[in-house]
Every structure is written in structure tokens, then in C-alpha cells.
Amino acid sequence: MKPDELFSSEEMMRFEAVLKRHIEAAAKVPLLILMTLLAGLALAIVGYSEFEIVYRVFDYLAGENNEYWSPTLMGFTAATMIIGFHILAKAKPQNLAVRIVDRSVEILIPTYLIGMGFLIACILFADGLGSMIQIEMPAMIGSLPEAIEQGWVDAFFAHVTNPLAVLAFSLGIGGLAIVNIFIAHKLLTTIAININDIFGRLSRARAAIKDHQAILNAQKDYSSLNSEINDLLIWDDNYIRTIIANEVISVISDALLPHKKWLQESQYSSEFRFEDSHRKIDPKQVAKDIAKIEAIRPQDIMNAMNPKFLEKGK
């Protein structure tokens, strides 16, 4: 490390590496914002889906008179359930209700997909796809007459596939409300994490930039002060006395300016333009005093700083 450096080159490189790391992290903020917006959009879709499920159920129960149920009010309870489950899952992740929802989602999603698959198969078969298969099933012992008349494919769809499709799809649709709450909780968690990460990255980047600038300023100030110290070390006593003497002369000259101005005004005005406390001052005496002070030369000040001279003065 150089004598005029507060921090070595290796330390400066480490500081710059930290700064670069925080700036690169802050550069990803736009992507995080985009992901947060997409998560918010997905949350809005899931929330609307939950609202529609609850609304339609209670709209069916209410009938035409809406005497006992308000479908709109009950639909908005979906938001209450979503927020309530999110708070509960965050505060008590091992709660029984949270664990039931987590486990049931693993079953409800396959159930919904199976029901949807069966339902599509039944629709396609009923829409004429079954007519493409013309297979006669021979009569067997114990076989149903209906199965013989319909054929084994028709019988299978009529007695097996259709009931399974209705059952699985109904369970899937019913469980969709639970799945929506589960997804909404995950989306809310993601949004909260992203927002906290965004502000954290920006805050750390600002702090890193500020600290790095402080380090650069400290390095610069240290180098400057070290240079001044080195200059002082190479100056001899006469040079330092000369600088001090010139500085004293400059201070004296500045201090005499108001008095010179007053003296000049007093010479060109019959009525002095100064305060009453100055009216008894003799301008001639002031001029003499100014002349005596201006007669002081830098050499006189340098002689006054001579230790020998000071000892004689004692």
C-alpha cells in the first residue's frame, strides 16, 4: 500500500466488487416488478374464479326471491376466506386447517383432471364418435340384456364412464374452491416476497453507492492531507514564516479597509456620515494610525516570530 493511500488496491477492488454485486442485484428489479405484476394478475383471476363459484352456488340456492341468501355478499366472502387463510398459513403453518388444505389439493387436482378427461370422452362419444366403432358383443352367461342390445362400448360408457365422469368432475369442481384458496395463498406469498426483495435490493444498492462514494472521498482527502503534510516536512522555517507573514499582512489590509473608507468620506463631507460615537475621532489621527500600521512590512512580522527576538522581549 502506498504511503498516501488510506486503502490498498486490494481493498478498493473488494469495495468495488461489493458495489458491483449490489448494482447487478438492483438491475433485476424491473424483472421482479414484472413477475410481481403477473402474480397480481393471476391472483385477480383466481379471486374472480373463487367469487364466481361461491356466487353461482348461492345464486342457485337463493332461487328467484333471494329471500335467505345474498349471492353477491356470499361471493365476496371468497376474498375473506383467501385473506384469512393466507394470514393463518403465515402465522401458523402447522395449523390443522392449513395442513388439510395442502393435502387435499394433492387429491383434488388429479380428481378434477380425471373428471374433465372422462367428461370430454363422454361428450365426444355421445357426439358421434361411438358410431365409428361397430363391434358386436356375443351373448355371455350373466350378461345384461341392455349391454347385449347396446354393444359393449355403449354399455361401458353408459354404466361406467358417464357416472365416473359426473362424480369425478363434480368433486373436482367442488374442490376447485379449495384449490383457488391454496393458489391465492401462494400468489400472495410470492407478491409479498417480491415486494420486500425489490425494496431490499434498491435500498442496499443506494447504501452501497453512498458508502463507496464515502470511501473514495476518504481516500482522496487522506491523499490530499498526506500531500500537505509532506509539503510541510520539506518546508524550512523561513518559508513557513514567509507564508505566515504574508497571511498576517493580508489580514491587516482587510481590517484597515473600513477605516480607510471612513477616512475618505470624512475628507469629502462637511457632515460626517458615521455614528455619534465617531464624531469625536480626529481624522488626522486616524490617518496617522493607518499609516503606522501600513508601514509594517512582512520582514517586521518575520523578525517578531524569531525566537531570539521573543526572548529579548521578555
Side-chain angles (χ1 to χ4, degrees):
M1 186 171 66
K2 297 179 181 180
D4 60 341
E5 290 181 343
L6 182 60
F7 304 104
S8 64
S9 300
E10 292 77 10
E11 290 172 332
M12 292 299 295
M13 290 178 63
R14 287 198 293 268
F15 294 149
E16 291 174 359
V18 173
L19 175 64
K20 182 180 179 181
R21 184 170 67 250
H22 287 301
I23 290 178
E24 289 178 349
K28 297 180 181 179
V29 166
L31 179 60
L32 285 173
I33 293 176
L34 177 60
M35 294 174 61
T36 304
L37 292 176
L38 292 176
L41 178 61
L43 178 63
I45 295 173
V46 171
Y48 178 75
S49 173
E50 185 76 1
F51 171 85
E52 278 292 312
I53 291 173
V54 178
Y55 177 86
R56 296 303 174 185
V57 170
F58 283 96
D59 184 53
Y60 171 77
L61 293 175
E64 297 180 357
N65 298 326
N66 293 335
E67 183 177 355
Y68 299 105
W69 304 104
S70 171
T72 303
L73 177 61
M74 298 307 297
F76 278 110
T77 60
T80 304
M81 289 300 299
I82 289 174
I83 297 173
F85 179 80
H86 175 69
I87 295 174
L88 178 63
K90 187 176 181 181
K92 299 180 179 180
Q94 299 301 323
N95 184 269
L96 179 61
V98 177
R99 287 185 293 168
I100 290 175
V101 171
D102 290 344
R103 292 299 179 87
S104 62
V105 167
E106 299 177 2
I107 301 173
L108 291 172
I109 291 177
T111 302
Y112 175 83
L113 295 176
I114 292 171
M116 180 65 74
F118 277 148
L119 185 62
I120 293 173
C122 293
I123 292 173
L124 292 175
F125 183 80
D127 198 36
L129 191 61
S131 63
M132 298 174 62
I133 304 175
Q134 299 294 336
I135 301 177
E136 294 182 0
M137 184 176 68
M140 298 177 62
I141 298 175
S143 60
L144 297 174
E146 295 83 358
I148 296 174
E149 293 176 2
Q150 296 175 0
W152 72 272
V153 176
D154 291 337
F156 180 78
F157 269 89
H159 299 289
V160 178
T161 307
N162 284 348
L164 283 177
V166 173
L167 178 61
F169 188 70
S170 298
L171 289 175
I173 291 296
L176 189 59
I178 299 176
V179 176
N180 283 339
I181 292 177
F182 174 81
I183 295 174
H185 163 63
K186 296 298 182 182
L187 290 173
L188 282 171
T189 301
T190 300
I191 291 172
I193 292 174
N194 285 351
I195 291 176
N196 184 65
D197 193 17
I198 288 170
F199 284 103
R201 287 169 183 259
L202 293 176
S203 177
R204 289 189 292 270
R206 285 195 296 266
I209 293 173
K210 183 178 179 181
D211 293 343
H212 186 259
Q213 187 60 46
I215 290 172
L216 293 178
N217 292 337
Q219 183 85 315
K220 181 179 178 181
D221 293 342
Y222 183 84
S223 178
S224 177
L225 289 174
N226 193 69
S227 177
E228 292 180 5
I229 291 174
N230 291 334
D231 291 341
L232 288 175
L233 293 176
I234 62 175
W235 291 347
D236 57 10
D237 292 343
N238 290 330
Y239 184 75
I240 296 175
R241 290 195 187 100
T242 301
I243 293 176
I244 296 174
N246 292 333
E247 186 67 23
V248 172
I249 291 297
S250 177
V251 172
I252 292 174
S253 178
D254 293 339
L256 288 177
L257 286 177
H259 302 282
K260 289 182 177 181
K261 183 178 179 181
W262 174 84
L263 184 62
Q264 186 178 10
E265 291 178 352
S266 66
Q267 291 176 350
Y268 294 99
S269 176
S270 57
E271 296 181 1
F272 296 153
R273 295 181 230 171
F274 42 80
E275 298 180 1
D276 294 339
S277 59
H278 293 165
R279 292 184 184 277
K280 297 180 180 180
I281 299 176
D282 185 4
K284 294 182 179 180
Q285 184 60 42
V286 172
K288 292 180 181 180
D289 294 338
I290 291 175
K292 289 180 180 180
I293 295 174
E294 288 183 333
I296 299 174
R297 295 290 179 263
Q299 187 61 41
D300 298 331
I301 298 173
M302 293 175 64
N303 293 336
M305 290 187 291
N306 192 320
K308 297 180 179 179
F309 179 81
L310 294 175
E311 289 177 0
K312 291 180 180 180
K314 293 179 181 180

